[in-house]
Amino acid sequence: DERTVSHLLCDQLEFADVLVLNKVDLVSETQLGEVEALVKKVNQRAEVIRTDHSRLTPASLLEKARFDLRKAEEHPDWLKEARENEHTPETI
């Protein structure tokens, strides 16, 4: 796999159904707004959850039925590796 870590992170950001922004207590509201605007620009449909010290209730993540197969299939990279009949893991 020739992708960089930043490319892998962008792929995950684009496909995520939920994004957890941690350590929000360490930035200003202005900075947090800028980060949220960036992630929403890349992935408008993902739910954004703010946390500090990684604290969140399990109910905020579990049993939400966020995944939508029809929406996923609309993404140009959906099942790209499966269509090419190969998969190279990101780690060894």
Side-chain angles (χ1 to χ4, degrees):
D1 194 339
E2 299 299 319
R3 293 175 292 176
T4 63
V5 171
S6 59
H7 187 218
L8 292 170
L9 292 172
C10 287
D11 286 348
Q12 290 191 358
L13 179 61
E14 289 174 358
F15 280 104
D17 295 313
V18 63
L19 299 166
V20 178
L21 297 182
N22 190 36
K23 299 187 179 189
V24 298
D25 57 318
L26 300 179
V27 297
S28 69
E29 277 296 319
T30 301
Q31 292 169 317
L32 187 54
E34 291 171 356
V35 171
E36 286 185 338
L38 174 66
V39 298
K40 282 297 190 182
K41 187 175 184 177
V42 175
N43 186 337
Q44 295 175 350
R45 63 178 185 74
E47 178 183 354
V48 177
I49 300 174
R50 294 179 176 191
T51 67
D52 60 82
H53 295 90
S54 300
R55 290 184 293 223
L56 53 92
T57 62
S60 64
L61 296 177
L62 303 175
E63 297 185 25
K64 295 289 188 172
R66 289 182 179 98
F67 180 74
D68 182 337
L69 181 60
R70 288 189 182 133
K71 290 279 186 195
E73 289 173 333
E74 292 173 4
H75 195 285
D77 289 336
W78 172 250
L79 294 179
K80 179 180 176 182
E81 290 186 37
R83 288 190 299 265
E84 295 172 2
N85 293 321
E86 66 176 70
H87 173 72
T88 306
E90 290 82 17
T91 59
I92 297 175

